Amino acid sequence: MKNNGNGTFAATTTLATGVAGSSCLPTDINGDGQFELLYTSDAYITGNPVFRVYTNDGNANFSQYSTESNSSIKYIRSAFDYDGNQTPDVLHLNPDIQVHLNHSGLSYSLSTPTVLAADNGWPYTGDLDGDGDLDVFNANSYNGSNWNTFPLKYFLNNGSGTFTTTTTALVLPLLWTTDLSDYDSDGDLDHLYLNPATGEIRVALNGATISISTTIANINCPGGADGSVALSVSGGTSPYTYLWNNGQTTATATGLVAGIYTATVTDINGSTATTSATVTQPTAL
């Protein structure tokens, strides 16, 4: 549909592709000021998936520029300049998460990828670490039969299209990733996601540090086992999980004998913090 300039729309050229599309992304890939189309299809009509580039004459009339057969159906997620050469690169998924670099003009191909993750996913792009280049964030992954069985991953870009993978300890069940935006006004990108099973809307805060304070109740009598250590946690993103070095898993460790106790707190995003406390007992008379 073409906008007439006043918020009303008129039908324009219909492009018959002859294939069944799986994704279509408009982007100016050659810097001519016009939106070309990056287009992929499944094998339903033609028997094999394809990747195509369609050029734009500036009046929303598109022509096929190139076509390429692919071994699997591709789903294009975004086209941004990941390697700093002023040309959009292609991020897509299936059967894994791939980025395609070093394109020139209209000559685009999905045949020589850089694989970011061997598992499938639904990635987003943004500057996660504030260094001025674009990174990739993947909160939910697919293991071939189910989504959300792998932990959250992110891929930090060094500015030239080389990515370093960080795999967190966090698996988000039934996750719907929706956005990367700065929700806490601290200048970095946070993650908004939904849990359709519970109806919850959650925000995973980027760079939020977990702080822990302790309240110690020492033992009343020599040789006793009535000590306790209670944790008060702030920062990170709740809910938190707790693991003490004696195996207890609550915010307050109870029934303690004299000794040193260590607790590790993990937030919903997989960030961790550790603290220790010493429980003492009175000296025997």
Side-chain angles (χ1 to χ4, degrees):
M1 302 295 289
K2 183 163 61 176
N3 191 340
N4 293 322
N6 60 1
T8 62
F9 291 83
T12 186
T13 303
T14 298
L15 178 62
T17 66
V19 294
S22 58
S23 65
C24 183
L25 182 72
T27 188
D28 182 7
I29 62 176
N30 62 349
D32 64 354
Q34 308 297 334
F35 281 106
E36 288 78 38
L37 300 180
L38 301 176
Y39 181 86
T40 61
S41 80
D42 61 26
Y44 179 69
I45 296 176
T46 59
N48 62 280
V50 299
F51 165 66
R52 290 178 178 173
V53 172
Y54 287 92
T55 58
N56 183 356
D57 69 355
N59 195 36
N61 296 307
F62 294 93
S63 301
Q64 181 179 313
Y65 176 82
S66 63
T67 186
E68 171 186 84
S69 294
N70 296 132
S71 58
S72 63
I73 303 169
K74 308 299 182 184
Y75 301 93
I76 297 174
R77 288 289 293 131
S78 60
F80 294 107
D81 181 13
Y82 295 103
D83 56 7
N85 69 350
Q86 310 304 311
T87 301
D89 306 300
V90 179
L91 178 71
H92 79 85
L93 55 99
N94 199 40
D96 40 30
I97 301 173
Q98 301 179 355
V99 62
H100 299 262
L101 308 170
N102 302 315
H103 297 291
S104 177
L106 295 171
S107 299
Y108 273 65
S109 171
L110 301 185
S111 63
T112 55
T114 297
V115 176
L116 298 184
D119 42 273
N120 208 347
W122 199 250
Y124 281 72
T125 295
D127 185 2
L128 300 176
D129 52 1
D131 63 354
D133 55 38
L134 291 174
D135 311 302
V136 176
F137 178 91
N138 189 56
N140 51 349
S141 299
Y142 185 67
N143 68 356
S145 58
N146 296 293
W147 284 90
N148 309 110
T149 57
F150 294 126
L152 182 154
K153 296 179 181 180
Y154 56 89
F155 312 90
L156 297 182
N157 186 359
N158 70 351
S160 62
T162 299
F163 294 84
T164 300
T165 303
T166 297
T167 301
T168 72
L170 179 64
V171 177
L172 300 176
L174 298 175
L175 167 72
W176 287 0
T177 297
T178 62
D179 188 38
L180 289 175
S181 295
D182 183 8
Y183 291 100
D184 55 358
S185 302
D186 64 351
D188 57 31
L189 294 176
D190 309 304
H191 173 220
L192 176 70
Y193 64 96
L194 311 178
N195 186 334
T198 63
E200 294 175 320
I201 301 173
R202 289 182 174 176
V203 176
L205 298 178
N206 184 355
T209 302
I210 299 173
S211 298
I212 309 172
S213 61
T214 59
T215 301
I216 301 171
N218 289 313
I219 295 166
N220 290 308
C221 300
D226 57 351
S228 66
V229 180
L231 304 180
S232 178
V233 181
S234 61
T237 305
S238 63
Y240 310 103
T241 59
Y242 308 89
L243 180 61
W244 294 86
N245 60 340
N246 66 355
Q248 294 190 43
T249 57
T250 57
T252 300
T254 59
L256 304 180
V257 299
I260 299 174
Y261 295 89
T262 300
T264 298
V265 178
T266 304
D267 76 355
I268 188 97
N269 303 316
S271 298
T272 62
T274 300
T275 191
S276 295
T278 299
V279 176
T280 63
Q281 62 183 350
T283 302
L285 299 177

